[in-house]
Structures are given as structure tokens and as C-alpha cells.
Amino acid sequence: MILKKIFVSRQKDKYYIQCIEKRDAKNIADFMEKRAIKKFVHPEDYEKIDTLISNMKKKDIFGAQLRLLNKYEIYNWYQIRAKTIFDENGIPLRTIGRIENIDDAINEKNNLLDLANRDGLTGLYNKKISENLIKELIDKNLLSDND
């Protein structure tokens, strides 16, 4: 099967996609693999792309938050939400969805979490976070010593 069309329209920081006019969901995954979509995805988010591809074959709305390269070769956070449209026989017709840049929201959330985890006067991590970080370091060190 040959992919016929992918439509992308942009409204502010939201991208709306409509793709795959053929009838085979397996080829959606083939298209994404052949086009090396993963070269645009942050390495820590590869698994999310695999999940997105497998969810394309289902009748539910699917999505993920992941980091994609922007035009300046910088990773930004994006929210992807989509749904595969099936015909009356259960054969996939197309996938429609939206890709939205949520980088500012994710960064703001992370900054607020960081502020909540620090002492307001000294800027040092609070007691609970410090204990958790020390425990993680000890656990990592113990694991690496066993290898």
C-alpha cells in the first residue's frame, strides 16, 4: 500500500493532522517506521512512539506527551491526540488528530515542582526530597557494585 496523503494544518501552536487514506492500519506503522519518525523523537520517548503506533489500530482515542525536534533542532514537549476512523467492517480508513506544543506548560510545571521541593530561604532541597535523592544514589551505587 502507498500512503496517499497527510494533511497538516496549523492554528497558533496547535497542529491538526489528518492522514492515511488507505485501509490498512499495519501500513500506518510501516509508514512511520520507513520515514524514520524516531529521528525526530527524543530517545527517552521512543517507547511512546511504539505505543502510539500500536494504539492506531484501536477504536479509542489515543495520545501521548513526548519530546520532538523543532525547526531549530531543539526538543520541545508536544501533546498528541488522535483517533483512527474505521469503516463499517472495522477496516481503518484514516487517522485524524492534533499535535500541540505544550513545552511552556511542561516547563512551568517543572519549575513549580522544583520550587515546591526547595526551602524558600536557602534554596536547598527540603528534607524529604534530600532523603529521596540520597536513597536513589545509594540504590544506584549498590546496583552498580553488584554488576
Side-chain angles (χ1 to χ4, degrees):
M1 178 197 96
I2 297 172
L3 174 68
K4 283 201 168 184
K5 296 178 184 173
I6 294 181
F7 301 102
V8 179
S9 62
R10 181 174 180 201
Q11 296 176 5
K12 296 186 181 178
D13 276 342
K14 296 178 183 172
Y15 293 85
Y16 295 88
I17 58 171
Q18 179 176 350
C19 60
I20 313 301
E21 286 205 349
K22 287 290 187 174
R23 297 179 168 261
D24 189 352
K26 179 183 179 301
N27 287 312
I28 297 170
D30 290 346
F31 169 76
M32 292 179 82
E33 288 299 325
K34 288 177 186 170
R35 296 289 189 237
I37 193 167
K38 287 185 177 178
K39 73 180 179 182
F40 301 105
V41 177
H42 192 281
E44 292 177 11
D45 295 335
Y46 286 167
E47 189 175 304
K48 293 178 182 180
I49 286 295
D50 294 335
T51 302
L52 277 173
I53 291 169
S54 67
N55 286 339
M56 284 181 162
K57 301 171 188 174
K58 299 177 182 175
K59 295 186 178 186
D60 298 326
I61 294 173
F62 58 90
Q65 290 182 351
L66 46 86
R67 290 159 287 186
L68 302 173
L69 278 177
N70 66 16
K71 64 183 179 182
Y72 303 109
E73 305 271 329
I74 298 170
Y75 287 106
N76 283 54
W77 281 98
Y78 289 87
Q79 169 76 42
I80 299 174
R81 301 219 2 113
K83 180 172 177 53
T84 302
I85 307 299
F86 295 84
D87 69 9
E88 62 278 351
N89 297 319
I91 298 171
L93 295 174
R94 66 181 53 92
T95 299
I96 58 173
R98 180 176 88 181
I99 302 173
E100 181 178 358
N101 185 332
I102 58 168
D103 199 59
D104 290 338
I106 294 289
N107 289 334
E108 183 179 350
K109 176 185 157 195
N110 290 339
N111 288 339
L112 290 173
L113 281 172
D114 188 55
L115 284 172
N117 291 331
R118 294 182 181 272
D119 177 75
L121 182 62
T122 65
L124 298 173
Y125 284 118
N126 63 35
K127 180 181 175 185
K128 184 176 180 178
I129 296 298
S130 297
E131 289 172 350
N132 289 340
L133 289 172
I134 291 167
K135 185 179 183 309
E136 284 178 28
L137 287 172
I138 291 170
D139 290 346
K140 282 182 186 178
N141 194 24
L142 289 176
L143 287 174
S144 63
D145 286 346
N146 289 334
D147 292 339

